[in-house]
Amino acid sequence: MHVDGGRTLLPALAEQLHAAPALMDSLATEFAPTAQNLATQKTYWLAFNGWMTDRLSGPIMNGQTSTDALHQQAWAVFLTAYWGGMELRENWGMPPAMERLGIQMKAPFTELQMGLANNLKTRFQAIDKGGDACLALLPALMRDDTTSGAVYNIAYNAGAQVVKTEDPPIGQRRPHRKPRPAAVRINARHFMRVDYELPSPMYLREWRSAFERTVVSKPDAYEAIIAGEAGQKNLREIWTKGVGFANTTWGGGANDQWSDAYFDDTLHWSTVVNFGLEAVGLASFVALINQEPDTARKAVMGNTLYEGMAMGWLLGFLDTDGKLPVVAAA
């Protein structure tokens, strides 16, 4: 398969996200059989993006990905998220949460691109320096209460699935959507626990086991990391904030206009996105509790893969002048 299209990035962002058309074509070819079975082709870019995060997270979290490859993979995740945002807006209109924010911006979105470039540069610098530098960076990533954070992002993304599928007071399922009890389970009470209707990949299961062994062996160190230092937010508060904020952005009538097919595909692939996010969060705890540089590097690399994803979706929503690429047989 060949993806005919792209997006010009500012030089500072292009230094971090290395354009790799051959990688995009290779992934599109690998994704093609799955794409044929989507409920609707109106979710192609959303599904490709979700599939891609899982496909690439496994090797990263197993320590099999080079830094050079990660620069390219993060580019592919960013662009497919960008196109997923455009795809959603073109088919179903601007998401209500975006309309409420009233953001009025036009490409190239210089300020937003520069912010993303700086975030990526910080991560890649730590990765290049090695595991000890990644250990030093991890506490900041874990306490980042935005979609850049290693803990917050798990809670927010999983919470965004719960709000669509569960009845009040857990979620805000719309009357015309069929019940999907516990398609994804997350709440503020059970810190770092997410349950999925979908089967979890092996790399996530391995990090769950590593997390449990570590926490049971060193419970005091675990609680100390959660509590943080004086003046820092408790990680349980950040978790609670992520779950709650998803209710405000994707609740109410946010999906009223979607077809059932689009809704079903979105729930599936947005759930898949959480697999890599959860693995990163679990590995972050293992790294800090055990002071493992190699594990810290894997966690930072995994977080870096996702760093451009939320921004990609935002820019795709805002880029009303852009055009989606064409995907065709090579």
Side-chain angles (χ1 to χ4, degrees):
M1 305 300 290
H2 174 62
V3 179
D4 185 9
R7 200 76 188 117
T8 301
L9 305 181
L10 295 179
L13 185 54
E15 287 181 7
Q16 309 304 323
L17 300 178
H18 297 175
L23 171 65
M24 187 73 81
D25 289 352
S26 175
L27 291 170
T29 300
E30 190 176 344
F31 177 64
T34 300
Q36 291 177 352
N37 293 315
L38 294 174
T40 171
Q41 290 303 305
K42 291 182 178 180
T43 57
Y44 177 86
W45 292 108
L46 176 148
F48 188 19
N49 176 255
W51 173 90
M52 186 184 295
T53 63
D54 180 47
R55 167 66 178 81
L56 300 176
S57 288
I60 289 173
M61 299 311 296
N62 288 332
Q64 299 167 337
T65 301
S66 69
T67 306
D68 288 344
L70 183 60
H71 279 284
Q72 297 182 1
Q73 293 173 4
W75 170 84
V77 169
F78 168 77
L79 273 191
T80 50
Y82 195 115
W83 295 329
M86 291 177 61
E87 175 184 66
L88 189 156
R89 175 181 44 74
E90 288 185 5
N91 286 304
W92 312 109
M94 188 71 78
M98 292 297 301
E99 290 185 335
R100 289 195 298 270
L101 289 173
I103 300 175
Q104 299 292 329
M105 301 180 71
K106 290 288 185 180
F109 313 110
T110 300
E111 183 178 350
L112 297 178
Q113 283 205 47
M114 290 303 298
L116 176 58
N118 290 334
N119 287 349
L120 286 164
K121 184 177 181 179
T122 297
R123 287 158 173 77
F124 276 116
Q125 284 178 337
I127 292 166
D128 288 338
K129 290 178 182 177
D132 288 337
C134 291
L135 267 177
L137 179 61
L138 268 184
L141 298 186
M142 294 176 74
R143 290 201 137 69
D144 185 337
D145 58 354
T146 72
T147 51
S148 293
V151 171
Y152 178 92
N153 212 3
I154 308 169
Y156 173 76
N157 188 72
Q161 313 324 311
V162 171
V163 71
K164 296 195 289 274
T165 56
E166 295 283 3
D167 292 331
I170 303 171
Q172 300 180 40
R173 181 180 67 87
R174 307 302 279 172
H176 64 291
R177 300 294 181 201
K178 66 181 181 181
R180 296 289 296 272
V184 176
R185 179 184 179 274
I186 188 172
N187 57 59
R189 300 186 312 279
H190 298 127
F191 179 65
M192 293 301 293
R193 175 179 172 179
V194 190
D195 299 319
Y196 310 105
E197 177 183 59
L198 299 176
S200 300
M202 180 58 69
Y203 71 88
L204 173 55
R205 290 156 56 191
E206 289 173 345
W207 282 109
R208 283 176 170 174
S209 292
F211 173 80
E212 292 299 333
R213 291 194 303 270
T214 300
V215 170
V216 170
S217 300
K218 301 175 181 177
D220 292 342
Y222 172 61
E223 291 298 334
I225 290 171
I226 292 173
E229 299 176 359
Q232 290 184 327
K233 281 188 179 180
N234 188 293
L235 290 179
R236 288 191 173 93
E237 294 178 29
I238 292 174
W239 180 266
T240 299
K241 177 183 176 181
V243 174
F245 189 59
N247 252 278
T248 68
T249 54
W250 293 104
N255 64 76
D256 274 357
Q257 303 303 316
W258 301 357
S259 68
D260 287 340
Y262 188 89
F263 181 92
D264 290 345
D265 274 352
T266 299
L267 175 61
H268 178 97
W269 293 107
S270 297
T271 300
V272 169
V273 165
N274 228 65
F275 295 160
L277 292 175
E278 185 185 347
V280 168
L282 297 171
S284 298
F285 271 103
V286 173
L288 287 179
I289 292 171
N290 294 332
Q291 288 295 289
E292 296 175 0
D294 288 346
T295 300
R297 193 169 186 272
K298 293 173 186 175
V300 173
M301 290 182 74
N303 175 266
T304 302
L305 179 73
Y306 281 91
E307 172 56 23
M309 186 171 171
M311 184 62 71
W313 277 93
L314 173 61
L315 298 187
F317 291 148
L318 296 174
D319 189 1
T320 55
D321 297 325
K323 293 185 178 181
L324 288 171
V326 174
V327 182

